[in-house]
Amino acid sequence: MIFDDAQFEAFLEDITVPFLIGDVSRWRARIRLPFSLITQSGPVTLTTDDEVKENFALYLKAKEAIHYDLIVRKPVNFETCPDGTVIATYHNEFLYHGLRIRDPYTASALLHPDDGVWRMSSILNALGHHQWTGKHPYLSGEKEK
């Protein structure tokens, strides 16, 4: 399966729109379990659909707390690996009424070809919901993975 600029743009849209409209199914369609979010405060691993839904709900709570209304994700580059996976790196900005509400940051996703769709198994340098809410998942009642 070929990963190109059009695939990259579609992937970024599919991991952005769900957080703007609250659509966990669209988000879930682009991830592969187990799914790892590697954040500055440590890794979070999701192994079940219920864990994905719980984690997604926490991001929606964080959205309410900081009131972003736009996420701008721009492709930086991608690398096709010999095993057929792709490392896709992209720039992220969170805005509220056109104003930046946090410093921009760069993240990378490990993508796998899976039934005709590129799904990610990990995000490196993910922005954890705990960075907005002050509660790391392991400190907020979620069981440790």
Side-chain angles (χ1 to χ4, degrees):
M1 196 164 126
I2 304 277
F3 189 84
D4 58 19
D5 291 336
Q7 292 284 336
F8 200 172
E9 290 287 346
F11 165 74
L12 291 177
E13 181 174 331
D14 284 345
I15 66 167
T16 300
V17 170
F19 293 99
L20 298 173
I21 65 172
D23 182 2
V24 69
S25 62
R26 188 167 176 179
W27 170 249
R28 177 63 182 95
R30 283 298 192 151
I31 65 175
R32 180 180 191 175
L33 298 178
F35 179 65
S36 300
L37 299 135
I38 312 301
T39 71
Q40 187 177 29
S41 302
V44 175
T45 302
L46 309 175
T47 59
T48 68
D49 284 332
D50 285 342
E51 289 173 344
V52 171
K53 289 176 186 173
E54 289 172 25
N55 186 265
F56 187 84
L58 291 172
Y59 275 98
L60 295 182
K61 284 183 183 178
K63 178 185 177 203
E64 290 174 18
I66 62 165
H67 306 290
Y68 67 82
D69 57 9
L70 182 62
I71 303 169
V72 177
R73 290 195 169 106
K74 296 179 184 173
V76 174
N77 60 38
F78 64 87
E79 178 182 351
T80 303
C81 303
D83 66 357
T85 60
V86 170
I87 300 170
T89 300
Y90 51 96
H91 182 80
N92 301 273
E93 288 191 76
F94 287 75
L95 307 169
Y96 177 66
H97 294 300
L99 300 174
R100 185 181 295 152
I101 58 171
R102 72 161 326 276
D103 291 337
Y105 68 99
T106 301
S108 296
L110 177 59
L111 303 174
H112 305 259
D114 190 10
D115 292 330
V117 177
W118 288 95
R119 298 183 209 285
M120 63 183 155
S121 63
S122 182
I123 297 177
L124 178 62
N125 197 26
L127 185 64
H129 54 76
H130 55 279
Q131 290 178 282
W132 295 317
T133 62
K135 289 187 170 185
H136 190 277
Y138 299 155
L139 303 176
S140 62
E142 293 180 29
K143 67 179 184 179
E144 192 164 333
K145 312 286 185 259

